[in-house]
Amino acid sequence: AAAVERQRRLVEQMFDAARIVTGRIQLDVTPVNAAALLRRLTARFNAGAAAKSIMLDVTPVALDVTVLAEPMRIEQTLATLIDNAIANTPAGGRLVLSAQERGASIDIDVTDSGAGFAAGALAWLLAPDGQSDPSGPRGYGSFALGLTIAKALTALQGGALAATSRGPGQGACFVLRLPRAVPGVPGVQA
């Protein structure tokens, strides 16, 4: 069943990549409440994290923290980041989800205590052809396509995806930065 699910996700990712490259992806950007989004994702991934003895925490988020995003695609992007974090974090590790206001933007962080990566690996991880590059870091090949799609979807929503790590074995933090919505005004950013 797990192999079938991985194959299904790979096929979906390939279709998404094709739609992005050809400009055929449609996004309906609307205000999305970050606290509610993180609660849904925590509920979705809690069992998978617990099965690996990984502590999944959510830093409290103000109820009015709202981003401008396409609801299904932001959830897809964060699901990719969380799934990768769980896969790269050993038993007994920790995964923290948080959101904070940064001026006219909101940063949603996915921070883990997992495998981490060397400084030179970041370009490889987020490059469109990283999966096929044999010089890339071991263990990340299966995630490169998902991360590339996450980066492209984030950019299409007016945001950016970045990542940091102190090095191999030191964990990683992926930061999804999106425009902050103006309260009470649909589709307008701060």
Side-chain angles (χ1 to χ4, degrees), residues 101-158:
E101 293 184 73
R102 301 273 190 242
S105 300
I106 303 291
D107 285 358
I108 301 175
D109 298 354
V110 177
T111 306
D112 67 62
S113 63
F117 52 85
L122 181 58
W124 184 88
L125 285 171
L126 298 176
D129 60 347
Q131 188 168 346
S132 62
D133 182 353
S135 68
R138 290 184 165 274
Y140 286 98
S142 62
F143 303 111
L145 181 59
L147 290 172
T148 299
I149 291 167
K151 182 179 176 186
L153 287 173
T154 302
L156 289 170
Q157 295 173 83

Side-chain angles (χ1 to χ4, degrees), residues 17-56:
R19 283 189 287 270
I20 290 167
V21 168
T22 61
R24 292 189 174 136
I25 195 159
Q26 298 292 322
L27 298 178
D28 182 21
V29 175
T30 61
V32 176
N33 182 280
L37 175 65
L38 293 183
R39 279 193 306 273
R40 278 194 312 277
L41 287 162
T42 301
R44 178 174 166 186
F45 286 96
N46 210 23
K52 282 189 69 180
S53 299
I54 296 171
M55 168 93 53
L56 175 56

Side-chain angles (χ1 to χ4, degrees), residues 35-112:
L37 175 65
L38 293 183
R39 279 193 306 273
R40 278 194 312 277
L41 287 162
T42 301
R44 178 174 166 186
F45 286 96
N46 210 23
K52 282 189 69 180
S53 299
I54 296 171
M55 168 93 53
L56 175 56
D57 289 326
V58 177
T59 301
V61 177
L63 294 177
D64 63 345
V65 173
T66 305
V67 298
L68 278 179
E70 203 287 332
M72 183 182 80
R73 296 303 185 168
I74 188 176
E75 194 157 331
Q76 173 187 352
T77 297
L78 286 166
T80 296
L81 299 178
I82 295 166
D83 194 38
N84 289 355
I86 291 171
N88 284 292
T89 299
R94 188 168 184 222
L95 173 59
V96 179
L97 308 178
S98 63
Q100 8 344 292
E101 293 184 73
R102 301 273 190 242
S105 300
I106 303 291
D107 285 358
I108 301 175
D109 298 354
V110 177
T111 306
D112 67 62

